[in-house]
Every structure is written in structure tokens, then in C-alpha cells.
Amino acid sequence: PTTKLLPRLIRQTFLAIEQSEGAGARVRRSIGTPKLRNFSPFLMLDHFFVSPGAGFPDHPHRGQETITYLIEGGMDHEDFAGNRGRLGPGDLQFMTAGRGIVHAEMPAQGEGVNVGLQLWVDLPKRLKGCEPRYRDLKAEEVPVVEVDGGKVKVKVISGESHGVDSVKDLAYTPVWLLDVEVRPGGKIVQPLPEGWNAFAYTLEGDVVFGQEGGERKKVEQFHNVVFGDGGQAVYAEVEEGAEKSARFVLVAGTPLDQKVVQYGPFVLTSQEEVYQAFMDYQTHSNGFERADGWESEIGK
Ligand SMILES: Nc1ccc(F)c(C(=O)c2c[nH]c3ncc(Cl)cc23)c1F
Ligand SMILES: [Fe+3]
């Protein structure tokens, strides 16, 4: 039984504070701030809130993968290769920037706020020059598993939970991504690959992390919970008397044994390569050729 699994202990928790990003967008950044920098393979986690008229107009990427998970509303994307798409609630886009992408990410028309998560994952050095590619995952493609008599629901976006496997490998860098909803009184013991770096980010409600009889901590909304690398499973529950359910994403990834040298959306392993990325972007070369004269429709 999973209760025999050693718990992954909490290394640190902190509140993600709202800040400006892009054009009038607001993000709660919980990875990629001074509080949590080298947490390989994770480079950035933004919980974004984009009102109509705001967004992320034309900008480049090189050397990383971005995983965008739409929670509320809708976001359009359009890149310099003519790829376009729309993410609705529960949809995901896995974008491998590789050698270079220039795109815009803007709210789909509508009047409400558009909410989601964007996670940046580092690419292994040998893949940083790869051709860009997209993997879309529609909400209805994400398997859901119920645990603890239905008090817990896990959307298995990537990885495996209670015997349910995600549908396909979506990123080059192995990453598990679970969206967990827990009703009051619900408990879950979620094994994670040993030795992988892992964190949880609380979207709604209060979650108690930790095994009964061991170290436990109640974490409120908009907090990042960073787990240590010992242990085999994350223990989480919502108190019986809690007024409302809680929701958090649980993420784990293989640490990459390589340097991270980052300048905004250019993520490489040496200063020279970052300068090169900047020059390539300015001169439309080495993967940025199609940026020459390109402007998005949606980012205007
Ligand atoms: N300034 C700057 C520089 C480079 C970027 F890539 C971006 C950017 O596009 C985003 C940063 N957080 C995000 N959360 C969600 C979405 Cl959909 C996009 C972003 C940006 F804003
Ligand atoms: Fe982007």
C-alpha cells in the first residue's frame, strides 16, 4: 500500500506575489524569482491573469520548452511560421522553442479575465538547437482518476497517478504534471519518480502537505511548495472541516546536469551562446530568419 512510501519533505514554501509582465498582463511568478532560481529543469512558473486588451505581444524564445495550461477564459497564439491556435479551459500547449520561435500569446476575444499557468522547462543542451515543435493537449484528452472514494480527482496531464497514465509524451524533458482537486476530508498519496525535482503550486483553498505523524504544513492559495529530493511520495489532504475544496498542480521533472545562462526568453548554457541568441534575433539568423518582416495578427 502507498502508505508505506517515504514522504517527500517540504524544503520551502512561499507566496507568489503578483507582478506586471508582457503588455499589461499580471503574473504570480513562483519559479524564476530570487526565492527559487536553480531548480532544474524548471526555469519559470507564471500563474497569469490577462484581461482583455492585455497580453504577450510578439516575442522570441530559444533553448527552452513552455507548457501553457489554460484554466479560465481563452488564449490565442500565433507564431512566425504561421502556426495559430486557441487554448480553452483545461487545454494545454507544449511548445518546444528549440533553436528559435517568435510568437504572440493574446487573450481570445471575450470580456472575462484569462487565467492559466505557464511553466518554462529547460531543454537538454543537445536539443537547444532543435527544430521548434508544438504538442497540443485538449481538455477532453486528459485522463482523470478518482481517488479516496471520489473525494480526490487527479487530471493526469503528464506522468502517472493511481494506475492512470497520461496519453503521450509531450515534452522532450521528462516532466510529470498533475492537476489535483481535493474535497474536504480527502487525502492523496502520490508517488513521484525518485530523485526528480518536485513542487506543488496551490491554485485554490488550503492544502495540508505531509504524512500523518510526520512533518505537516498547511499551505494557502497562491503558494509554491518546494519538496526536497528525498522520499518517494507526496502526501496531501484537505481538513475534514474545511469550507471548500482545494486545487493544486503537482509537478516533477528530471534535473539536467548543465549550466543555465538565461537572458529573458533566451536560455542557453554559456554567456557566448546567449549573446549569439540575441544577435541572431536582431539579425534574423540561425533559426530567427522568419522573424524578418513578420508581425503577428493577434498581437497588433
Ligand atoms: N516580457 C516577456 C519576455 C519573454 C516572454 F516569453 C514573455 C511571455 O510571453 C510570458 C511571460 N510569462 C508568461 N505567462 C504566460 C504567457 Cl501566455 C506568456 C508569458 C514576456 F512577457
Ligand atoms: Fe511566449
Side-chain angles (χ1 to χ4, degrees), residues 10 12-13 207-210 215-219:
I10 295 177
Q12 73 183 108
T13 67
V207 185
V208 177
F209 289 98
E215 178 197 298
R216 291 156 74 92
K217 187 174 174 79
K218 180 150 95 168
V219 179

Side-chain angles (χ1 to χ4, degrees), residues 56-57 59-61 64 66 68 93 95 101-105 118 120 265:
F56 305 92
H59 60 273
H61 288 272
Q64 84 272 91
T66 66
T68 307
Q93 178 193 62
M95 181 186 85
I101 280 259
V102 182
H103 73 167
E105 296 152 293
Q118 186 165 95
W120 290 13

Side-chain angles (χ1 to χ4, degrees), residues 121-265:
V121 182
D122 199 9
L123 270 173
K125 186 173 166 49
R126 71 184 191 291
L127 288 174
K128 284 184 182 274
C130 77
E131 278 306 303
R133 71 163 200 186
Y134 290 96
R135 287 284 188 284
D136 279 332
L137 190 61
K138 290 295 164 206
E140 50 277 6
E141 291 181 287
V142 178
V144 183
V145 60
E146 299 216 344
V147 186
D148 193 12
K151 282 188 260 175
V152 177
K153 256 174 61 174
V154 184
K155 290 178 183 161
V156 188
I157 295 162
S158 172
E160 192 230 306
S161 178
H162 296 80
V164 172
D165 256 299
S166 58
V167 290
K168 48 196 173 185
D169 277 339
L170 294 143
Y172 281 128
T173 306
V175 167
W176 281 26
L177 189 48
L178 305 172
D179 181 350
V180 185
E181 201 165 323
V182 185
R183 298 223 294 260
K187 297 176 194 301
I188 180 170
V189 181
Q190 175 59 51
L192 295 175
E194 290 194 45
W196 286 25
N197 279 337
F199 68 91
Y201 177 75
T202 53
L203 289 164
E204 289 156 28
D206 300 338
V207 185
V208 177
F209 289 98
Q211 188 179 28
E212 254 166 74
E215 178 197 298
R216 291 156 74 92
K217 187 174 174 79
K218 180 150 95 168
V219 179
E220 295 170 349
Q221 191 178 30
F222 305 142
H223 281 69
N224 194 313
V225 182
V226 181
F227 297 102
D229 51 14
Q232 298 153 315
V234 167
Y235 287 69
E237 66 179 88
V238 173
E239 287 163 338
E240 191 67 57
E243 279 120 61
K244 58 181 197 162
S245 299
R247 183 180 178 190
F248 61 92
V249 287
L250 184 56
V251 186
T254 43
L256 298 175
D257 180 17
Q258 63 189 43
K259 274 175 66 73
V260 174
V261 181
Q262 175 170 3
Y263 180 78

